[in-house]
């Protein structure tokens, strides 16, 4: 008899697990409360990149004269059309998932799943009825939701979540983005290109205050943001908001997350920002409502994220968890959820695999883009490595000059004694694609000499990786 596996959540982790298990011969039921594709496909990765593509087209049209192309008239963004295209892209990809489910005979049940045990999941259907799904194993992949704060209650009109921002069918003249992390930064560049006046408020003392992002990339992005007219308020937080006469006002104060000596005097002065709307992009929370974790005996941490062992099994034997529901103690990225899916399914079928969290690329779709993998320079030093670094500027590449994409840098981090690559951090055009070479290099334990000795096509942006490696290998 085929192994019966119930997967709760149809995002990148969930549908990958379902497809993998089905290909191995399991009888799979995929339970989803809202939409196939989850956050990534419907209100995350894909929608933001679709909007960014519209912003890039608009920017290229505005720059047409630089390339000897005449452009009559003034280009502008048509927000309803942008949103319509975004929805079409999402619908196309969702349709592809539906076809894959049908092809692999994955049974899709639309409803909210509650784990009772490894052998039973109760699903509350849209009409309120409850359906029992029996099986042998369960994989929880319900992901995360946007975080809201009482001081800035999301109303969908003046104070918007990142989900709301991706459905905005008009262009706000003045926009405040609370949070200078990945989502906030991406939205800032998109809406600035569309024509909004944008101010980012970030509680830390740099943009992209993410451990995996090298501080040099943060400095470069801050410089480029200001060049594009994006205002950035670092070391500040929003203490309160109010809506009055069709505008929203945000009162700023010094960040409580930094030691007083790290807060500049300018950030200690009270200030009020007036805007048409505020985007809240301050973090995520576990999507665990109604899952019945406590009742089933599934352990969580103090923030409600599920805890698992090295093989992704929860405290209840036969119940596994993957993706964002594991929280920031792991890596909350769509491709990591997919990788964890393969590990969990393999272990259900008798393997003893563990996810590799040391070689996980990250792509940030700001302007310029940022791609990174492995250790930052600071992380490598903290781990005791005798570190050597090398950089190569985008503007030194013939392809970058031809494209008119000059801002950017390739930075490699390596162990001085062995030359082994420890990390790679790129900022510039197509950095999110270019990082893949160094992901493979790290996976294989390559040295910078290996990269420098690999012939790269000319003229390409990828030559910058080779040049940075060659500078280090000399």
């Amino acid at each position: 008899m085929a192994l019966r596996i119930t997967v709760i959540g149809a995002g990148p982790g969930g549908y990958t697990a379902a497809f993998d298990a089905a290909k191995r011969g399991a009888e799979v039921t995929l339970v989803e409360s809202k939409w196939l594709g989850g956050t990534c496909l419907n209100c995350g990765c894909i929608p933001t990149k679709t909007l960014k593509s519209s912003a890039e087209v608009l920017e290229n049209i505005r720059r047409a004269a630089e390339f000897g192309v005449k452009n009559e008239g003034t280009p502008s963004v048509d927000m309803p059309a942008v949103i319509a295209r975004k929805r079409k892209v999402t619908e196309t990809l969702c349709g592809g998932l539906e076809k894959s489910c049908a092809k692999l005979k994955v049974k899709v049940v639309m409803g909210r799943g509650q784990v009772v045990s490894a052998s039973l999941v109760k699903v509350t259907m849209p009409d309120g009825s409850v359906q029992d799904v029996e099986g042998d194993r369960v994989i929880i992949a319900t992901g995360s939701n946007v975080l809201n704060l009482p001081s800035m209650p999301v109303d969908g009109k003046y104070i918007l979540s990142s989900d709301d921002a991706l459905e905005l069918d008009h262009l706000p003249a003045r926009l405040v983005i609370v949070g200078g992390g990945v989502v906030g930064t991406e939205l800032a560049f998109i809406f600035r290109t569309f024509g909004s006046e944008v101010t980012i408020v970030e509680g830390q003392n740099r943009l992209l205050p993410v451990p995996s992002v090298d501080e040099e990339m943060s400095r470069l992005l801050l410089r480029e943001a200001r060049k594009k007219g994006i205002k950035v308020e670092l070391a500040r937080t929003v203490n309160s908001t109010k809506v009055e006469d069709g505008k929203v006002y945000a009162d700023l104060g010094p960040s409580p997350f930094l030691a007083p000596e790290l807060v500049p005097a300018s950030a200690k002065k009270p200030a009020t920002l007036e805007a048409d709307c505020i985007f809240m992009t301050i973090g995520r929370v576990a999507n665990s409502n109604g899952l019945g974790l406590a009742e089933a005996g599934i352990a969580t941490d103090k923030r409600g994220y599920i805890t698992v062992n090295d093989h992704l099994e929860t405290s209840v034997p036969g119940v596994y968890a993957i993706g964002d529901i594991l929280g920031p103690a792991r890596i909350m990225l769509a491709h990591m959820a997919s990788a964890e899916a393969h590990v969990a399914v393999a272990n259900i079928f008798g393997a003893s695999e563990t996810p590799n969290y040391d070689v996980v690329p990250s792509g940030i779709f700001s302007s310029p883009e940022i791609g990174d993998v492995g250790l930052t320079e600071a992380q490598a030093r903290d781990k005791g490595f005798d570190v050597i670094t090398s950089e190569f500027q985008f503007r030194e590449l013939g392809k970058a000059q031809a494209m008119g994409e000059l801002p950017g840098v390739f930075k490699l981090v390596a162990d001085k004694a062995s030359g082994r690559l420890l990390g790679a951090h790129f900022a510039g055009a197509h950095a999110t694609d270019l990082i893949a070479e160094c992901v493979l290099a790290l996976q294989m334990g390559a040295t910078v000499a290996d990269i420098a000795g690999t012939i790269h096509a000319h003229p390409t942006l990828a030559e910058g990786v080779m040049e940075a490696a060659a500078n280090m290998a000399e």
Side-chain angles (χ1 to χ4, degrees):
M1 182 177 176
L3 193 65
R4 297 172 300 171
I5 299 176
T6 304
V7 181
I8 307 176
Y15 69 69
T16 299
F19 297 165
D20 190 355
K23 290 174 183 176
R24 291 171 179 261
E27 181 182 309
V28 182
T29 300
L30 182 59
V31 179
E32 171 55 45
S33 64
K34 194 171 184 180
W35 43 37
L36 290 181
T39 294
C40 176
L41 180 48
N42 293 277
C43 55
C45 315
I46 301 304
T48 53
K49 263 45 88 183
T50 306
L51 263 63
K52 182 179 187 288
S53 294
S54 294
E56 287 176 338
V57 169
L58 181 59
E59 181 68 16
N60 287 336
I61 293 172
R62 288 172 177 162
R63 295 180 60 191
E66 294 179 31
F67 299 87
V69 177
K70 292 182 178 180
N71 176 35
E72 305 297 336
T74 303
S76 61
V77 67
D78 179 347
M79 286 303 295
V82 168
I83 299 302
R85 179 176 183 271
K86 181 212 70 168
R87 290 173 179 166
K88 183 178 180 181
V89 169
T90 295
E91 289 168 4
T92 299
L93 293 172
C94 284
L97 292 179
E98 291 174 358
K99 291 177 182 177
S100 294
C101 287
K103 180 180 179 181
L104 294 170
K105 298 181 180 179
V106 172
K107 181 181 180 181
V108 178
V109 177
M110 298 303 295
R112 183 167 292 279
Q114 177 185 344
V115 182
V116 177
S117 67
S119 58
L120 179 61
V121 172
K122 288 185 174 293
V123 182
T124 302
M125 310 299 283
D127 63 4
S129 63
V130 177
Q131 177 179 326
D132 288 351
V133 178
E134 297 180 348
D136 303 301
R137 301 287 188 275
V138 172
I139 299 175
I140 302 172
T142 52
S144 61
N145 280 322
V146 292
L147 173 65
N148 294 318
L149 294 180
S151 60
M152 288 175 278
V154 171
D155 59 17
K157 183 177 181 181
Y158 295 104
I159 301 179
L160 286 68
S161 69
S162 56
D163 292 359
D164 298 327
L166 297 172
E167 286 293 322
L168 199 60
D169 62 0
H170 64 280
L171 187 66
R174 288 176 296 178
L175 170 63
V176 171
I177 298 178
V178 181
V182 174
V183 176
T185 301
E186 290 182 353
L187 289 173
F189 280 95
I190 290 169
F191 276 85
R192 179 60 189 145
T193 301
F194 284 166
S196 297
E197 292 182 12
V198 179
T199 301
I200 300 174
V201 181
E202 169 53 51
Q204 299 298 322
N205 52 16
R206 66 173 175 128
L207 276 183
L208 296 174
V210 182
S212 63
V213 176
D214 192 274
E215 291 189 16
E216 189 164 347
M217 304 303 118
S218 291
R219 288 194 292 270
L220 185 150
L221 197 64
L222 176 61
R223 183 173 68 246
E224 293 305 314
R226 287 174 170 162
K227 283 182 181 178
K228 293 179 183 295
I230 297 172
K231 298 175 183 177
V232 181
E233 297 281 356
L234 296 177
R236 284 189 184 268
T237 55
V238 176
N239 292 333
S240 63
T241 59
K242 68 175 180 179
V243 176
E244 191 174 276
D245 297 329
K247 302 294 180 184
V248 60
Y249 298 85
D251 292 326
L252 306 186
S255 173
F257 309 117
L258 297 172
E261 63 271 18
L262 297 179
V263 178
S266 58
K268 294 178 180 178
K269 298 177 181 178
T272 299
L273 300 178
E274 177 185 329
D276 295 281
C277 63
I278 294 174
F279 290 173
M280 291 287 294
T281 62
I282 54 174
R284 311 284 297 180
V285 294
N287 189 9
S288 57
N289 288 340
L291 269 176
L293 300 179
E295 294 83 352
I298 298 173
T300 62
D301 64 17
K302 61 183 180 181
R303 295 178 61 184
Y305 291 106
I306 295 175
T307 56
V308 294
N309 62 20
D310 291 341
H311 305 293
L312 301 176
E313 192 171 23
T314 70
S315 57
V316 174
V319 178
Y320 294 74
I322 59 175
D324 276 16
I325 194 64
L326 302 181
R330 306 268 172 162
I331 297 177
M332 298 172 71
L333 292 171
H335 45 279
M336 192 67 239
S338 298
E340 289 167 340
H342 290 300
V343 170
V345 171
N347 291 340
I348 286 174
F349 276 84
S352 184
E353 296 185 6
T354 58
N356 181 5
Y357 294 105
D358 294 330
V359 186
V360 182
S362 172
I364 301 171
F365 294 82
S366 47
S367 183
E369 293 181 356
I370 293 177
D372 62 62
V373 66
L375 300 176
T376 65
E377 180 179 354
Q379 288 173 331
R381 295 190 191 283
D382 288 343
K383 286 182 175 291
F385 287 101
D386 185 7
V387 174
I388 183 172
T389 66
S390 176
E391 297 178 12
F392 189 82
Q393 300 295 321
F394 260 68
R395 64 180 61 251
E396 297 181 60
L397 292 170
K399 181 64 178 294
Q401 290 285 343
M403 293 169 63
E405 296 287 353
L406 305 186
V409 63
F410 297 86
K411 179 176 181 178
L412 300 180
V413 180
D415 174 56
K416 185 175 183 179
S418 66
R420 182 169 64 90
L421 184 69
L422 299 175
H425 306 273
F426 304 160
H430 303 292
T432 57
D433 298 311
L434 294 168
I435 199 65
E437 174 180 351
C438 288
V439 179
L440 180 60
L442 277 175
Q443 182 73 20
M444 299 183 68
T447 66
V448 290
D450 292 327
I451 298 173
T454 300
I455 298 173
H456 288 62
H458 175 78
T460 63
L461 296 178
E463 288 178 283
V465 186
M466 178 187 69
E467 296 289 357
N471 288 343
M472 188 182 289
E474 290 177 354

